[in-house]
């Protein structure tokens, strides 16, 4: 708990960076799937 | 939009967003000596970061001028980490100081940063939580722009009767709803740590809740109607236009005419959008806030573009079937 209190900002920063990265990879994957569907039409 | 077919552009957008998040969390916050004294005297904060320029050093500490040009002497005590000996005159330091109420002097806790590229202001009562301005406020702004774009497309659909406009309107409103949810979530977490609870039924919170219901109803209406595709699209377009009429009222008027926990409530001057046309926000924070708005706007346009293409593919499939 003491570690979290002292490094709260970094912990939040890492969590948000991971969420951003996850969202971005998800959107990239969706973009790729849409392109595949568009090219197959 | 052709821009979103370019992988290079999408990677640049991703990297720019990552840099923006990094800046939002990494940029040090630095206030003035008066902030440190006021916060300590009110019992709100024992240790406050101060942005100050080194004037001279002496045996007990160093003399600084803060960002408002106010002088202050900071003492090295036995609770201080480090000293000022290695720094030069005119070095800009962000230093954590503790205000000594009895001696009315400042004690050094630690040197946070030396000559930082930029700093964010110390907003009294917010402290480190002030960083959320770069996430929460741009999300709400982009939600407003999204609903505006959706409404313009709905009007275009009613005039030109082209289903492509209906697809754009639907995608823009869906992305707008997503950004409204994100603004609500980031605001709610912020409220928990600033005001004590996740939800306070503050006028702005209440108005965003009503906005969420109005736009959720738009999608429910679309999916529940059992009319022909053309009639369904026309009813949805009319609803979308009527829904947007409430948006400026709920987002800009209600929170300003009623007492609110948010800044700008109860007739007080709002920090950015106000009747006097003046900005009451630190320039660096404001500039970074506009960078966030532009980046989130691109994310919104990307989501809208993807959803429009999905709807186009669905329409093609339905035509073929």
């Amino acid at each position: 708990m003491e570690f979290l209190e002292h490094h709260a900002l970094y912990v939040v920063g890492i969590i948000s960076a991971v969420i951003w990265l996850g969202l971005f990879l998800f959107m990239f994957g969706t973009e790729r799937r849409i392109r595949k569907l568009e090219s197959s039409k | 939009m052709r821009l979103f077919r370019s992988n290079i552009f999408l990677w640049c957008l991703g990297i720019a967003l990552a840099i923006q998040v990094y800046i939002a969390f990494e940029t040090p916050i630095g206030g003035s000596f008066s902030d440190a004294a006021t916060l300590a005297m009110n019992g709100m904060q024992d240790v406050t970061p101060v942005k100050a320029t080194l004037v001279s050093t002496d045996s007990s500490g160093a003399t600084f001028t803060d960002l408002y040009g106010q002088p202050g002497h900071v003492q090295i005590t036995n609770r201080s980490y480090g000293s000022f000996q290695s720094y030069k005159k005119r070095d800009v330091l962000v230093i954590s100081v503790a205000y000594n109420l009895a001696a009315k002097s400042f004690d050094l806790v630690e040197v946070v940063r030396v000559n930082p590229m930029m700093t964010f202001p110390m907003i009294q009562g917010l402290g480190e939580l002030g960083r959320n301005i770069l996430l929460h406020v741009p999300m709400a702004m982009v939600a407003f722009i999204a609903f505006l774009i959706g409404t313009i497309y709905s009007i275009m659909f009613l005039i030109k009767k082209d289903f492509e406009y209906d697809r754009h309107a639907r995608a823009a409103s869906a992305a707008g709803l997503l950004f409204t949810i994100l603004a609500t979530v980031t605001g709610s977490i912020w409220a928990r740590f600033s005001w004590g609870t996740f939800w306070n039924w503050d006028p702005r919170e209440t108005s965003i809740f009503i906005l969420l219901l109005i736009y959720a109803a738009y999608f429910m209406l679309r999916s529940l109607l059992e009319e022909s595709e053309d009639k369904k699209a026309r009813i949805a377009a009319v609803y979308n236009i009527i829904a947007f009429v409430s948006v400026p009222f709920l987002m800009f008027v209600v929170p300003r005419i009623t007492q609110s926990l948010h800044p700008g409530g109860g007739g007080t001057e709002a920090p950015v959008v106000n009747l006097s046309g003046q900005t009451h926000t630190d320039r660096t924070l404001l500039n970074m806030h506009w960078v966030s708005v532009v980046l989130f706007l691109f994310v919104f346009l990307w989501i809208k573009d993807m959803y429009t293409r999905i709807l186009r593919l669905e329409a093609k499939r339905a035509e073929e079937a």
Side-chain angles (χ1 to χ4, degrees), chain B residues 143-205:
Chain B
F144 173 77
I145 297 167
F147 292 141
L148 176 68
I149 291 172
T151 308
I152 292 168
Y153 277 122
S154 287
I155 296 168
M156 298 279 280
F157 169 72
L158 289 177
I159 295 168
K160 301 205 171 177
K161 304 275 185 294
D162 182 349
F163 277 100
E164 188 59 18
Y165 291 118
D166 177 57
R167 286 192 275 272
H168 279 294
R170 205 169 146 186
S173 301
L177 188 64
L178 175 73
F179 273 91
T180 312
I181 293 167
L182 287 173
T184 311
V185 170
T186 49
S188 184
I189 296 167
W190 200 2
R192 165 66 184 82
F193 295 100
S194 281
W195 303 329
T197 51
F198 284 105
W199 201 260
N200 304 278
W201 292 110
D202 170 84
R204 221 174 252 278
E205 290 176 344

Side-chain angles (χ1 to χ4, degrees), chain A residues 16 20 24 27 31 35 38, chain B residues 5 7 10 14 21 302 309:
Chain A
S16 45
W20 270 124
F24 206 79
M27 281 171 68
E31 173 74 40
R35 279 184 202 175
E38 281 173 336
Chain B
R5 308 289 194 281
N7 278 339
L10 294 179
V21 172
W302 186 20
R309 284 152 65 200

Side-chain angles (χ1 to χ4, degrees), chain B residues 61-83:
Chain B
T63 304
F64 292 89
T65 50
D66 68 12
L67 65 167
Y68 300 121
Q70 293 296 313
H73 187 266
V74 180
Q75 289 185 347
I76 306 282
T77 63
N78 49 11
R79 66 181 284 204
S80 307
Y81 291 97
S83 70

Side-chain angles (χ1 to χ4, degrees), chain B residues 62-138:
Chain B
T63 304
F64 292 89
T65 50
D66 68 12
L67 65 167
Y68 300 121
Q70 293 296 313
H73 187 266
V74 180
Q75 289 185 347
I76 306 282
T77 63
N78 49 11
R79 66 181 284 204
S80 307
Y81 291 97
S83 70
F84 299 122
Q85 296 309 321
S86 55
Y87 305 115
K88 295 188 296 290
K89 230 179 176 184
R90 284 199 286 277
D91 269 347
V92 177
L93 307 185
V94 177
I95 42 174
S96 279
V97 296
Y99 185 63
N100 189 325
L101 288 162
K104 289 191 169 46
S105 64
F106 298 97
D107 296 340
L108 175 75
V109 176
E110 63 177 326
V111 177
V112 179
R113 196 72 58 85
V114 186
N115 296 320
M117 202 167 73
M118 60 176 152
T119 55
F120 291 148
M122 160 62 65
I123 303 170
Q124 290 195 12
L126 287 183
E128 294 288 346
L129 298 170
R131 295 172 191 279
N132 201 10
I133 288 172
L134 298 179
L135 296 176
H136 171 67
V137 184

